[in-house]
Amino acid sequence: MLNVTNNNLEGPIPSTLENLRAVQFLQLSHNHLTGQIPTFLKDFKLLQNLNLSYNDFEGAVPTTGIFNNTRPISIAANKKLCGGIPELNLPECNTTKSKKKNSKGYLKIVIPLILGIAGLTVVVFILCHRWLRRQRKGSSHNLIENPILRVSYHSHFKCTNGFSEENLLGVGGFGAVHKGCFDHDGTTYAVKVIDLFRHGASRSFVAECEILKNTRHRNLVMVLTACSGFDLQGNDFKALVYEYMDNQNLENWLHFSSQEISEIEEIGG
């Protein structure tokens, strides 16, 4: 439902409204809207009620789609409207040559624009559909269905004890990784806080998000969610939240520390 009644809106109905093809109730009455009634409204298959009354629309009323019945539409107090189905009792439209020329010029602009918007909408729908399919297949964690994954800066700050040293797991080229724990169920996670003061850190964050959302491997920790907001000082804050693995880090497994080497030598000696 979209209801903008009594808002003193002016000008024509924008063409971008065509993207709302799932709308069922559209209320635009008691404004100062002008121009013709957009023809794309007749193509809204789910539209059940359309109220355009008490505006200043002009020109012909469509005759198909929702306009084929007087019950679901209201166009009262639009004195410049004409045509439509007979039940509306509107005057006939005066079709002059000049109006035809203007309409042809208008269509040359509007039709490519509508086709471009429609094409872009289709592409976005296909990409979103594929992304959702990959998410369902590759992960049991759904960010929309699982509200605990929507973690703010304040939650991270609390769960990591203020990003303290005792919770520090490691430091990389563009940030530090801390260990955190959710309050409500005790789930442990790892959060990589991006150091945005480093040159290229923002681009690295975006690139990492793009790569990790499309990458699934049994030897890679799963990315649970991303966080973008502001810290307590009002600075930008960006972080990635991972599943926590308690086997330390790869560097410790590849390169033993001096203390560990001494312990191994003692055992072997």
Side-chain angles (χ1 to χ4, degrees):
M1 175 184 290
L2 176 61
N3 188 344
V4 291
T5 303
N6 289 309
N7 275 281
N8 292 320
L9 300 178
E10 298 180 351
I13 296 177
S15 59
T16 51
L17 199 67
E18 185 184 12
N19 295 328
L20 301 180
R21 290 187 173 271
V23 69
Q24 297 179 354
F25 299 89
L26 183 58
Q27 306 292 321
L28 304 176
S29 63
H30 293 86
N31 286 291
H32 305 291
L33 298 173
T34 58
Q36 294 185 335
I37 297 176
T39 57
F40 59 73
L41 292 175
K42 64 183 177 59
D43 297 324
F44 283 14
K45 304 298 183 183
L46 302 179
L47 190 58
Q48 301 176 19
N49 185 275
L50 175 64
N51 191 345
L52 303 175
S53 58
Y54 295 94
N55 282 288
D56 196 22
F57 290 111
E58 62 182 4
V61 177
T63 58
T64 58
I66 194 173
F67 299 96
N68 194 30
N69 192 339
T70 58
R71 290 185 179 181
I73 65 170
S74 177
I75 57 173
N78 286 279
K79 300 180 180 178
K80 299 179 183 179
L81 290 177
C82 62
I85 59 176
E87 289 81 358
L88 293 175
N89 297 318
L90 295 175
E92 295 183 0
C93 297
N94 296 322
T95 56
T96 61
K97 292 183 179 180
S98 59
K99 287 186 178 180
K100 288 183 179 180
K101 291 181 180 180
N102 291 335
S103 63
K104 288 181 180 179
Y106 181 75
L107 290 176
K108 289 181 180 179
I109 299 175
V110 173
I111 290 177
L113 181 61
I114 293 176
L115 291 177
I117 294 174
L120 181 60
T121 303
V122 171
V123 171
V124 172
F125 174 79
I126 293 174
L127 293 176
C128 291
H129 180 67
R130 291 181 177 177
W131 181 80
L132 287 174
R133 288 183 62 185
R134 286 197 298 266
Q135 289 293 100
R136 290 168 185 167
K137 292 180 180 180
S139 174
S140 60
H141 298 277
N142 191 311
L143 299 184
I144 296 177
E145 296 177 357
N146 193 349
I148 69 170
L149 296 180
R150 298 176 182 174
V151 189
S152 65
Y153 169 81
H154 297 281
S155 297
H156 285 309
F157 188 84
K158 180 180 179 181
C159 294
T160 60
N161 195 21
F163 302 105
S164 62
E165 289 290 334
E166 62 183 13
N167 284 42
L168 182 65
L169 298 177
V171 179
F174 290 106
V177 181
H178 294 265
K179 177 181 177 181
C181 184
F182 293 117
D183 290 333
H184 69 285
D185 62 356
T187 301
T188 303
Y189 67 93
V191 55
K192 179 180 180 181
V193 181
I194 307 301
D195 185 0
L196 297 177
F197 290 101
R198 291 180 177 269
H199 179 70
S202 295
R203 290 196 301 270
S204 175
F205 173 77
V206 174
E208 191 167 352
C209 289
E210 289 294 328
I211 294 173
L212 292 176
K213 77 177 184 180
N214 297 318
T215 303
R216 296 290 184 273
H217 195 278
R218 62 185 180 183
N219 292 333
L220 293 177
V221 291
M222 184 177 297
V223 179
L224 301 181
T225 186
C227 178
S228 180
F230 301 95
D231 61 15
L232 298 178
Q233 287 74 39
N235 300 317
D236 287 337
F237 175 82
K238 296 184 184 298
L240 292 169
V241 179
Y242 297 87
E243 285 184 326
Y244 175 75
M245 297 184 67
D246 55 0
N247 292 327
Q248 301 181 7
N249 57 50
L250 182 61
E251 182 179 0
N252 289 344
W253 283 94
L254 294 178
H255 308 286
F256 292 107
S257 64
S258 57
Q259 180 179 355
E260 291 172 331
I261 293 174
S262 300
E263 292 177 354
I264 293 173
E265 289 177 348
E266 290 177 2
I267 295 174

